[in-house]
Each structure stands twice: as C-alpha cells, then as structure tokens.
Amino acid sequence: MDTERGESREIVAERLKEARVRTQWLLRTVSDEDLARQHDEIMSPLIWDYGHIGNYEELWLLEITFGRSLSDRNLFDMYDASLTPRSKRPSLNLLDRGDADRYLDAVREAVFEALGDEDLDGGDPLLKEGFVYHMVLQHEHQHNETMLQTLQLMQGDSYRPESIAELPPGHPPEEDMVHVPGGPFIMGTDDRAWALDNERGAHEVEVPDLYLDKTPVSNRDYAEFVEDGGYDREELWDPKGWEWTREERISVPKYWYQPEPHSWWTQRFGFDEPLSVDTPVVHVSWYEADAYARWAGKRLPTETEWEKAATWDSKTGSKRLYPWGDAQPTPEMANLDQLAFGPAEIGAYPAGVSAYGSLGMIGDVWEWTASEFSAYPGFESFPYREYSETFFDEGYKVLRGGSWATRLGAIRNTFRNWDFPIRRQLFVGFRCARDA
Ligand SMILES: [Fe+2]
C-alpha cells in the first residue's frame, strides 16, 4: 500500500533510518560528560533527548499502536516530557550513551518487525496514511534542532561537528518590502498524513492589504537599532519586555558583544567570530523583535499574514506547501537541514521566492509573529492533548518558517512552532510588516 504522497512502507523505514543516522552524527563529537551535563536550565541534558527519542518511538510505534513494549514503567516515566520537568532530568538515572544506543536499536528492530504487519490504510486513525510514523519521524527531527540549541548553549568545550556545508552567497534585494494585496486565503491544512493537529483544519481567512519585509531583518539593520539606543527607549517596548530587559540587563541579542566600539562579535557553538552583517539577526526574543519593529515604524506580522505571504498563489487561487511551490526543499531553495550550522546571507535563495516576492520564508531563521499560539476553528486534539492543546492561550508566541537547524521533513508553510516571548535559545529572527 502507499500513503497519500506515494510512500511505501520501505520509504517510511528508510526515512526512520536516515533520521537516526543524523541524530547520532550530531552527537558523535560530543564528550560523554557534555552529553550528561545540563548546560542551561531551560534545556535537557543531551543524553535525555537521545533516550527520549527512542522512548517516544517505543511509546507510539510499539505500545500505543500495537500493544507491545520492551521497557518498564520507570523508563517510560523518566523520559516522559510532561511527567519529568527539565530541572529534574539531570538527576535521573538516565541511560548512558552505550545503553541508549542499544535501547534505541532494540526499539527500532521491533518497530521494523511491526511495520511489516499492519495496515497503513486501515481504519485506525493513527495508522491512516502513515500518520503515526510521520509523527515519530518529525519528533526525532525536532529533537535534533533542540539538541543543536543545547549545543549552542554548551558550557565548557566548544562544539565541533565533523563537517560544515558551504552556503551560496547573498544577493540583497533592491526593494525592502513586498505588497500582499488584501483578500481571503486558505489558512491551515487538512493534511492528515503529515500535518500535526495544531495546523488543522484548512479555513478561509480575510487578510487586509499589507506590506511585508521582503527578507528577514539583518544583523546590519539590527545593529542600527542597538546603536540608536533602542534598548534604552522605554516607549519602543512592550511593558513586560521593558521590565525583562531591566531585570535581566539585556542590551544586545544573546551572544553579541563588542570588544571595541562599532565592532560587533558573536559566539557560535562556543567559537568567537566577527558578526556577519549580511546574515539575519538570530537569538532575539519576541520582545526584542517587537521593539525593533516599532523603532523601524513597522510591526510584527500576524501568523495569518505570514502564512498568506508564504503560501498563497493569488493567480491560481491555490495554496503552496512551500513558498516556491509543492516541490520538496532542495539546497537551491532554502537553507535547511542543519549542515551549514548557521544562516545564509540575506537573499541567498532567489529560487525560494514566494508568489508575492518574499524571500527566505523557509529556512535560515525561525520568524517571530505577533500572534499568540491558539487553536484554529474546529480544532481537535490528535493524538494527544499534550502535543498542542495544553499550550494554547498560555502566553506563547507563534514562530514560523523553520531555521537552518530544521530538518526537511519537519517544516512546511503551515507548520507552527511556539515559545515564550523572552526566549532566545532558538535559532530565531523576524521580519516586519506594515499596513498598506
Ligand atoms: Fe519530545
């Protein structure tokens, strides 16, 4: 049988194998001590992420789907993100690298056995069109990005991956903003094979006329805001954001510093380097993005505006999976898939242009939107409340578009990520909007 996008069970198995190769590759050069350590209180020890990837697979692909399991309850509890808060994870008796390797292998072997038996087209909504396999695959991909955030935060040794891919040069566009004419578009999706519950269902939304930045805000532009005293001008800030900058003594993006006036440097995976002025600003909180936008005489786009600009082709009245169309991302379209270990220069992907002319909407940096994370009309939690529903209307802001650290199978125009407005560990920047 084939799933909707023509995937046989062999392809599903190949994707799962490929995901594991990457997970292990990312961790290969990290010492056992650094795997076990908690490098920041908001992150798990890397070795927890690793064991949790295997346990999530055991939970969903063996226990829940087929009623089979290999492990005892203690192990399930230890790796259950909702039972064990991050602060407790370092003190657990976690599997070390060798034991985790063996555990993940054993789970995977049992999963491949089970994959031969079941009916991906049958009535079970978990199995229909291979949903649960895609969910587990995306989960592993997403933890890869989380692990990269931890590696960026790593104390002590710097992170040295085995290789780094080269990126194409930038071509800064001549115009600053693109026009997105007002009118309705279809937001969200009805895709039941890949999309997660919070992306569903497809619904029509009327969007007012607007202008949107053609590209994400660059380090050059952001440095102007910093040097113009942007962090000292209360009127530019959301009151809570202002309070946060005072309490935490925030005056530049995370990792920026100035060895001498007008010379900005930054730290990437523990290495010092001059700030590249032509790449998007990264590691800024929502509050910083919001203040910058006000300083620039603009505002952050809502996620509706963002999704329309990325996705809608008004000539055909149809929706694209990616800004450039429905074709899967390639290295010519966007900087995704981790191996560059940083964003490309602004305008490096002219082929990735959206129907409205915006660039870089997928890849490089996540983009903060003005919107709070909440449910679409008719939302139904699937397959578990803790995936999305428990996070709705809790003060999280929506991020869109993925980053250089996002794997291909974990991003599309409708994908919604969320975090608190003070968070800066993500590979996140932003672009601005303006009413027309
Ligand atoms: Fe997880």
Side-chain angles (χ1 to χ4, degrees), residues 48 52 56 81 139 143:
W48 184 90
H52 165 78
Y56 191 88
H139 180 260
H143 272 276

Side-chain angles (χ1 to χ4, degrees), residues 168-210:
H171 300 284
E174 271 167 30
E175 75 264 55
D176 288 346
M177 300 188 92
V178 298
H179 183 215
V180 182
F185 92 109
I186 305 296
M187 173 123 174
T189 175
D190 289 329
D191 179 1
R192 299 203 70 90
W194 283 90
L196 300 163
D197 58 1
N198 65 62
E199 298 166 69
R200 296 197 294 264
H203 56 290
E204 191 175 288
V205 181
E206 186 70 32
V207 184
D209 215 24
L210 80 139

